């Protein structure tokens, strides 16, 4: 009887603790919801002030500072909930764009933009990496992790754009790694194909910036693999991407003195661009790149002729 009574008491205590935990979680949901919903009009108002060109620069800077202070207040009032942290991290990214992007409404303050990007990254790193400051924040589900990985990838690319050319490479590499991790969480379908194409094309652009002949092979092979799918075979933009990648590859190879390989990839670029045009893709852009490819081919053909 004593054993049964003890067991019953234990079960009852566990049930009470479970109910209290659920009630606390429900209260937390309400508080977080109020914080997030209540913050939207405040941040929207501050953001609108930042975008008003007729406002004095001092007023726009004051709005920026007020927004940063408010975001930190949000973090301080819900420090252990990842939903708030994610929202704040995304807001910091938006502030960075307003503070230091090349747009007409930018404040032209690259230092503040850098700080906002770094703050956004530190919050995302803490959530995705499970850092010591994560506390009891909710674990991300697969969809949430995928979205946050893509967000961090974008922040890394945008931040890299503010740096000197020599400093960009590690941030681009981290951005690509995040995109690959996000791809692994996506089911087969149109969204995954779109994301994979974006990743492959950004890797092409990175190889071009680095003038690395070896950096083109895998992304172009990946784009061609996608193009071989029956549901992608008539995507004119995809063949335009392949043609542009082949053209970049040819340019870099020529700079490295690998003329025969450059000509081969220029021919591959010509074929892909002509196929894209036949499928109806943006003729002006494609023809402009096609003209560059034909110029390279013509110059190398002339150089190869005997005097």
């Amino acid at each position: 009887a004593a054993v049964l009574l003890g067991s019953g008491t234990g079960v009852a205590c566990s049930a009470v603790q479970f109910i209290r935990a659920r009630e606390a979680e429900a209260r937390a949901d309400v508080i977080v919801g109020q914080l997030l919903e209540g913050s939207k009009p405040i941040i929207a108002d501050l953001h609108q002030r930042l975008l008003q060109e007729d406002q004095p620069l001092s007023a726009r800077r004051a709005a920026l500072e007020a927004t940063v202070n408010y975001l930190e207040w949000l973090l301080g009032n819900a420090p252990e909930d990842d939903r708030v942290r994610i929202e704040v991290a995304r807001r910091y990214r938006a502030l960075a764009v307003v503070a230091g992007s090349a747009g007409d409404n930018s404040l032209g303050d690259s230092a503040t933009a850098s700080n906002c990007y770094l703050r956004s990254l530190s919050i995302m790193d803490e959530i995705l990496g499970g850092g010591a400051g994560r506390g009891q924040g909710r674990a991300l589900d697969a969809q949430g992790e995928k979205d946050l990985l893509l967000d961090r990838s974008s922040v890394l690319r945008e931040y890299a754009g503010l740096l000197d050319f020599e400093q960009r490479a590690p941030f681009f590499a981290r951005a690509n790694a995040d995109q690959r991790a996000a791809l692994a969480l996506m089911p087969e379908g149109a969204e995954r194909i779109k994301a994979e194409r974006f990743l492959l094309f950004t890797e092409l652009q990175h190889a071009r910036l680095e003038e690395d002949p070896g950096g083109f092979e895998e992304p172009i092979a990946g784009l061609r693999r996608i193009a071989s799918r029956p549901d992608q075979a008539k995507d004119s933009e995809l063949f335009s991407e392949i043609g542009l990648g082949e053209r970049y590859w040819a340019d870099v190879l020529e700079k490295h003195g690998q003329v025969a390989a450059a000509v081969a990839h220029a021919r591959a670029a010509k074929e892909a661009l002509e196929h894209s045009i036949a499928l109806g893709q943006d003729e002006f852009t494609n023809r402009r790149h096609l003209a560059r490819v034909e110029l390279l081919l013509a110059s190398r053909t002339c150089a190869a002729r005997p005097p």
Side-chain angles (χ1 to χ4, degrees):
V3 171
L4 289 173
L5 179 61
S7 300
T9 303
V11 170
C13 290
S14 297
V16 170
Q17 290 172 353
F18 176 77
I19 291 170
R20 287 176 177 173
R22 291 297 297 271
E23 289 176 346
E25 185 177 348
R27 286 195 298 272
D29 285 344
V30 171
I31 293 170
V32 169
Q34 290 174 341
L35 280 170
L36 293 178
E37 289 302 315
S39 72
K40 288 179 180 177
I42 296 172
I43 293 176
D45 177 64
L46 292 168
H47 196 257
Q48 185 60 35
R49 293 185 197 178
L50 284 170
L51 295 175
Q52 290 174 349
E53 292 183 344
D54 57 345
Q55 290 283 333
L57 184 59
S58 58
R60 296 172 72 193
R61 290 188 181 279
L64 177 63
E65 183 178 354
T67 308
V68 169
N69 291 337
Y70 185 70
L71 291 177
E72 291 301 319
W73 180 86
L74 274 179
L75 281 179
N77 280 272
E80 294 182 347
D81 197 292
D82 287 347
R83 291 168 294 177
V84 175
R85 291 181 174 195
I86 290 169
E87 181 67 18
V88 170
R90 288 170 176 162
R91 296 294 181 179
Y92 264 115
R93 177 193 173 190
L95 284 182
V97 172
V98 174
S101 73
D104 293 337
N105 291 332
S106 168
L107 298 179
D109 187 346
S110 59
T112 298
S114 293
N115 290 335
C116 288
Y117 278 130
L118 290 173
R119 186 67 175 120
S120 179
L121 285 173
S122 69
I123 296 168
M124 292 182 184
D125 288 348
E126 191 174 88
I127 296 169
L128 288 167
R134 184 172 182 178
Q136 298 175 359
R138 297 185 172 196
L140 293 173
D141 59 15
Q143 178 70 30
E145 184 177 356
K146 180 209 73 174
D147 291 343
L148 194 55
L149 283 165
L150 292 174
D151 283 340
R152 187 169 67 177
S153 173
S154 297
V155 172
L156 285 162
R157 292 189 192 286
E158 291 167 13
Y159 175 62
L162 297 177
L163 303 176
D164 293 336
F165 179 79
E166 296 78 11
Q167 299 174 302
R168 294 177 183 179
F171 294 96
F172 281 135
R174 282 187 61 196
N176 287 347
D178 276 353
Q179 284 189 293
R180 290 191 200 95
L183 274 175
L185 297 170
M186 292 183 187
E188 290 292 335
E191 182 191 14
R192 179 167 182 161
I193 291 173
K194 182 180 178 180
E196 187 174 3
R197 280 175 56 178
F198 178 78
L199 171 61
L200 292 168
F201 196 70
T202 54
E203 288 179 335
L204 286 177
Q205 297 281 18
H206 183 57
R208 180 194 181 199
L209 289 172
E210 294 290 311
E211 296 188 350
D212 174 20
F216 290 91
E217 185 171 357
E218 288 189 14
I220 286 184
L223 289 173
R224 289 193 177 278
R225 175 179 47 78
I226 294 173
S228 69
R229 294 171 54 112
D231 59 336
Q232 301 293 311
K234 294 185 179 181
D235 190 320
S236 58
E237 187 175 353
L238 175 55
F239 285 95
S240 180
E241 291 168 359
I242 293 170
L244 189 54
E246 293 279 13
R247 187 212 130 183
Y248 291 154
W249 199 355
D251 288 343
V252 172
L253 286 165
E254 187 181 31
K255 288 181 180 178
H256 282 73
Q258 301 177 41
V259 177
V263 169
H265 287 288
R267 286 174 179 156
K270 184 175 186 294
E271 180 182 355
L273 290 169
E274 287 177 340
H275 186 57
S276 178
I277 292 170
L279 291 172
Q281 172 64 20
D282 184 5
E283 291 197 14
F284 174 77
T285 302
N286 276 330
R287 290 190 185 280
R288 181 164 54 86
H289 291 302
L290 188 58
R292 293 287 298 272
V293 169
E294 289 175 336
L295 181 62
L296 185 152
L297 288 171
S299 65
R300 286 305 172 185
T301 301
C302 291
R305 289 176 181 168

